[in-house]
Every structure is written in structure tokens, then in C-alpha cells.
Amino acid sequence: MVAAAVWVIPLLSMEIVSCIVFAFLILKAWRRKHGGKIEAPDHFDVGATVWCKGLALTHAADRRQQVILFAWRLIVLLWMVSVEVQVLCFLPWRASVLFYTNWNYLWQICYFGFACTGSATLLCGRQLSPRLRLVTKVFFEVSVPMSIFVSIVLWGVLMPASVKAGHPEAVFNFFSYNQHLANTACLLIEFCASRLQIHWRHLVVVYLWAGTYCVFAWVQHPFTNFWPYFFLKLSPVAPLWYTVMMALHVLMFALAVGLSRIKSRCANLSTPAAHAEGVSEAGSQHQASLNIPIVVDEVSKDGRS
């Protein structure tokens, strides 16, 4: 194992860094195309459903849907927190610290926490800070594809291996059902109901997240003599396993991006939220979506008159 690690770790490090650089180049190209700015999503996109039509949730039906979305997010958040507390209380410490599953589960709890905060803030009639909007979006963009990835790895790779080894109880239990099935279902419902979208430019966050976990797994092994997953072992076949796993990461993200584009077309999310008001005049539409130019126009008109 030690002999293999001498050449496997540098090779795997180059592979992980190459993936991160590739994703960073995608982000850089997008920033260059859009003037070097990464804008936070609209308040409307963070706190409303795909069925909402009004810009500021002024319609009664839209506000009811916002209340339902907030209640849904709060219920999911409380349930996931209760599951995590049980993990901490009833499972060995390795389950909560060493496994990628729990890392992603905690990330998803953070997302629903941010989403609940956003929904509650809007329901109180207050504006969301750009930082909260951007953080909520990024956590969403990682949570959805990673929940699908973790579930596929468990049920497609680890479950057959556990059954073959004579330990099906390691997979078929309350915690696996919640961290590899129920959470994925909840995030897919959230994906379909919310206006948040997933874009290629944030692939770099996924690879940074996965790369951080890989380095953590290498560092912790000399102290615990334990590999959370058999495919993380620094063996001669490790480059193959790591390549497959990194490819699955980008494949799941690509799937999420594709589904997001389909949702955008079906729900007309590419159209600015202000256009959903049904305003017929072009000037009114611009004023609803971007106030500053309208103010400038009004000042100019006053100057001419």
C-alpha cells in the first residue's frame, strides 16, 4: 500500500487538480462573457415557485404558493436535522465524520436552512441580501446533483458489495433510506417546485467539494487506518476508480444542468420575472425588472422639459 501511494497520490492529485482547473476555466469564460461579474439570483427566484406569476408576490395565489414553499422547506429541514442528530447519537463517530454521504447530507441541511431563511425573509416583506441569494443558489446547485450521485453510488456500487459480503444490514437501514433516498426525493421535489436553476459555471464548486473530501480521506487514513469506501484506497487500480468517480460527478452535474434547462423552458424561467406581470407596455416591463435605467430616463425627460 505504501509503495503504491508513492506514485498513486501524485497521479490522483494531478487528476483532481486538472478537473478543478477545467471547471475554473468554464467559470472564467462565463465571467469574461458577462463582464466579469457573477450576479446573485433574483429575490423572486430564491423565494417563489415555478407557478408564481407576480413579480413581488403581490398576487394572493402567488403568496399562498410562497407560504407552501416555506412550509415545505421548513418541514424538510427539521426532518433532516432530526436524522442527523440520530446519526450523531446512535452511530459510530466515523459515520458522521468520515463518510462522503454525511458530508453531502450536512451540505443539504445548510441549503434548506438558507432556503428557509430566504423564504421567511420575503414573506416578512424584506429584501434578501445578494450574499444570501448567491449562497443559496450555490448550495442548491451542489445539493441536487450530489444527492443523485451519492444515491447511485450506494445502490449501484456499495449495496451489491455489502450484500455479497454478507452484510446487507449495512445498507438496508433507517439511515441509508434517509440519506440516500428520502433526501434525494425531497431535493428533486424542491428542484421541480423552486425557480432556482443549475448552471455549468458552478461546476468548479462541485469539484472543489469532491477534491477536498479526497484529500481529507488521504490525510485521515494514517490516523484511523480506515477507508470510508473501498474505491478510495490508494492501490494500483485507484486511478481507474477515481476517474470513474470524477466522471460521475460531472455526469450528474450535466444531467442536472440539462433538467434545469428543460425546467427553464417549460416554466418560462428565462424570461425576467417582471415580464410575468403581464404588463403590455415595454417601458413598464423595464421598470419592473430594472429600476435604475428608468430613473435615468425620467431625469433626462425632466431635464429636457
Side-chain angles (χ1 to χ4, degrees):
M1 181 69 68
V2 176
V6 172
W7 64 270
V8 170
I9 289 181
L11 182 61
L12 294 178
S13 299
M14 290 177 59
E15 180 178 355
I16 293 173
V17 170
S18 297
C19 291
I20 294 174
V21 170
F22 169 73
F24 179 76
L25 290 175
I26 294 177
L27 174 61
K28 187 176 180 179
W30 185 90
R31 292 186 65 179
R32 187 186 302 114
K33 182 179 179 181
H34 293 81
K37 293 184 178 180
I38 297 181
E39 297 181 355
D42 188 81
H43 300 269
F44 191 71
D45 291 336
V46 173
T49 69
V50 294
W51 300 283
C52 288
K53 302 301 181 184
L55 174 62
L57 302 175
T58 54
H59 302 303
D62 290 351
R63 187 168 180 82
R64 284 196 298 269
Q65 291 174 10
Q66 167 65 4
V67 171
I68 293 173
L69 181 63
F70 168 69
W72 157 257
R73 288 171 167 174
L74 182 60
I75 291 172
V76 174
L77 174 64
L78 294 176
W79 175 253
M80 294 181 72
V81 169
S82 70
V83 171
E84 183 61 27
V85 170
Q86 294 179 70
V87 169
L88 295 173
C89 294
F90 300 114
L91 294 184
W93 67 272
R94 291 177 175 178
S96 59
V97 177
L98 302 184
F99 285 87
Y100 196 46
T101 292
N102 207 60
W103 280 44
N104 281 284
Y105 200 71
L106 289 171
W107 183 284
Q108 293 157 23
I109 288 175
C110 291
Y111 163 69
F112 278 104
F114 290 132
C116 281
T117 302
S119 291
T121 302
L122 289 178
L123 282 173
C124 293
R126 298 168 56 189
Q127 294 291 309
L128 301 182
S129 67
R131 180 174 299 178
L132 176 60
R133 284 180 277 149
L134 184 59
V135 168
T136 302
K137 175 181 173 57
V138 171
F139 269 77
F140 174 79
E141 290 183 292
V142 175
S143 293
V144 174
M146 287 302 94
S147 68
I148 300 174
F149 167 80
V150 170
S151 296
I152 289 177
V153 170
L154 178 86
W155 301 113
V157 178
L158 299 178
M159 185 271 288
S162 297
V163 172
K164 186 177 180 180
H167 299 288
E169 71 282 355
V171 174
F172 298 102
N173 57 65
F174 170 81
F175 299 103
S176 285
Y177 295 145
N178 276 279
Q179 294 187 324
H180 303 91
L181 192 61
N183 64 322
T184 303
C186 289
L187 281 165
L188 289 176
I189 293 173
E190 173 76 10
F191 172 82
C192 294
S194 74
R195 295 178 62 91
L196 289 171
Q197 301 180 60
I198 300 174
H199 300 98
W200 272 114
R201 59 182 176 271
H202 288 143
L203 174 64
V204 64
V205 183
V206 171
Y207 272 144
L208 284 171
W209 177 245
T212 300
Y213 178 77
C214 288
V215 174
F216 168 80
W218 301 343
V219 172
Q220 64 82 32
H221 182 261
F223 299 97
T224 64
N225 196 30
F226 174 76
W227 289 109
Y229 305 100
F230 69 87
F231 47 77
L232 290 178
K233 295 180 180 179
L234 299 177
S235 63
V237 297
L240 176 61
W241 274 114
Y242 278 69
T243 300
V244 170
M245 291 301 152
M246 298 304 278
L248 276 176
H249 275 77
V250 71
L251 182 62
M252 291 302 101
F253 197 83
L255 174 63
V257 171
L259 292 175
S260 181
R261 290 177 178 176
I262 293 174
K263 180 178 78 169
S264 178
R265 287 196 296 268
C266 293
N268 197 27
L269 301 184
S270 58
T271 302
H275 290 197
E277 291 286 342
V279 183
S280 58
E281 296 182 1
S284 299
Q285 290 177 342
H286 287 302
Q287 185 173 2
S289 61
L290 191 60
N291 292 326
I292 296 177
I294 297 299
V295 173
V296 174
D297 289 345
E298 290 175 353
V299 173
S300 299
K301 292 177 182 179
D302 293 339
R304 287 195 301 268
S305 60

